[in-house]
Amino acid sequence: LKKLPLPVALLLVVPLGILQGVIVVLALEDFSNKRGRPAQSGQQQQRPTSNKYHCKAVNGLFEGTISSAVVWYAFWTVGYPPSQPITVDAWTHERTFLGVIGWAMLISSGLGLLELDFCTSRALARRMKRSLRYELLHLLFRTSEVAMRVSLHVWFMVATRRHTRWWWVPVSADLSATLILVTVLGGAESYMAVRVLLCVPCLFANIFLFIDSPYKRRAARRLSSALTVKNVVALVAVPLLVLLVPAEAWETDWEAHGVGFVAFAAAAAVHWLLLLWTFMCRGPRHRMPDIFSACERGSVAEVRSA
């Protein structure tokens, strides 16, 4: 925006800055550059250079995940319950505005995770360069993952806020379990602040799922598997906890609760189907020789060749 005239820059502040539209622009520019850059040699195709995670994608990931949870909580609680609303609507179209902003934050999170996966996995980077269809499906996969996790906890808090005192327990337990897993299985990371920081996106998405760096993939594989188990447990346990809400509350409030449940179920179905498709269609793995894997397998010949 600094290169543009001031009136034009001011007009673009809202769509590109506040709504994180700049991430879409950066993604399109990156895609265009990769499509138009011919390979100089087969060696470069076999060993692509490392990718850098753009700072705006970091903002989109962190801001998108947290903001989407806050916005969707406000969306589902505007004027609910009618007798004593959790969130009082200030103007007529506030709920519509919150819905639009909520979807924008979810897509922003998906784009940030898409960029993260592209930068941490050479295999995924190659597939994204070859197929726009796969890139769009991967974006849908990551967006549905965030939508599933956000709607799960937000729906529980909305459904139980006026009926129980422990409406905050599941999300707190989920965050605590994530912190424990990242601390115990986080590999050689020595800074506790980094582990705590990683728990924020890990609460909404399995960011270690596609890491294939030779000296990081072993720890990433263990941590990713543990996070997947944790997410499955939460997927089953949190809806069951809603059954502890008094029955009379469901008789009068099912319409509001049903919207949140359907949104959660739809996002969960899309996410797990796409996760299964991603791992079934990955094709044969082309492992390049590296000294880390050779040492892990205990192969002296591979260590010497690497």
Side-chain angles (χ1 to χ4, degrees), residues 65-234:
T65 51
I66 299 174
S67 298
S68 61
V70 175
V71 170
W72 282 113
Y73 179 80
F75 174 82
W76 278 330
T77 56
V78 168
Y80 173 81
S83 58
Q84 191 180 3
I86 299 174
T87 302
V88 180
D89 52 336
W91 48 292
T92 306
H93 301 289
E94 181 179 3
R95 199 165 189 269
T96 303
F97 176 76
L98 289 173
V100 173
I101 296 298
W103 278 110
M105 292 295 100
L106 287 177
I107 296 174
S108 176
S109 304
L111 288 170
L113 289 167
L114 177 70
E115 179 74 8
L116 177 66
D117 293 337
F118 181 86
C119 295
T120 57
S121 172
R122 290 183 175 182
L124 276 182
R126 286 194 296 267
R127 294 184 66 179
M128 290 182 187
K129 291 176 182 178
R130 290 197 303 260
S131 173
L132 177 61
R133 173 175 170 267
Y134 175 79
E135 195 167 4
L136 293 176
L137 285 175
H138 195 87
L139 173 62
L140 178 61
F141 162 71
R142 280 306 198 179
T143 304
S144 63
E145 181 180 17
V146 178
M148 175 189 69
R149 298 287 298 164
V150 167
S151 60
L152 173 65
H153 289 297
V154 170
W155 169 65
F156 179 86
M157 289 189 287
V158 172
T160 60
R161 177 69 183 269
R162 293 303 188 193
H163 307 292
T164 65
R165 295 182 178 179
W166 44 272
W167 54 270
W168 52 272
V169 170
V171 66
S172 301
D174 199 338
L175 183 61
S176 300
T178 303
L179 177 59
I180 292 173
L181 291 176
V182 172
T183 302
V184 175
L185 304 176
E189 178 57 52
S190 58
Y191 293 98
M192 188 62 186
V194 176
R195 298 177 187 267
V196 174
L197 188 63
L198 287 175
C199 289
V200 177
C202 283
L203 181 63
F204 303 100
N206 189 348
I207 64 175
F208 304 99
L209 187 60
F210 298 104
I211 294 177
D212 58 8
S213 174
Y215 66 99
K216 295 179 182 178
R217 62 178 171 223
R218 186 177 183 182
R221 191 185 307 121
R222 292 200 305 263
L223 183 52
S224 177
S225 300
L227 289 174
T228 301
V229 173
K230 175 191 70 74
N231 292 340
V232 171
V233 172

Side-chain angles (χ1 to χ4, degrees), residues 24 89 270 276 286 302:
V24 179
D89 52 336
V270 172
L276 180 63
H286 301 284
E302 291 184 5

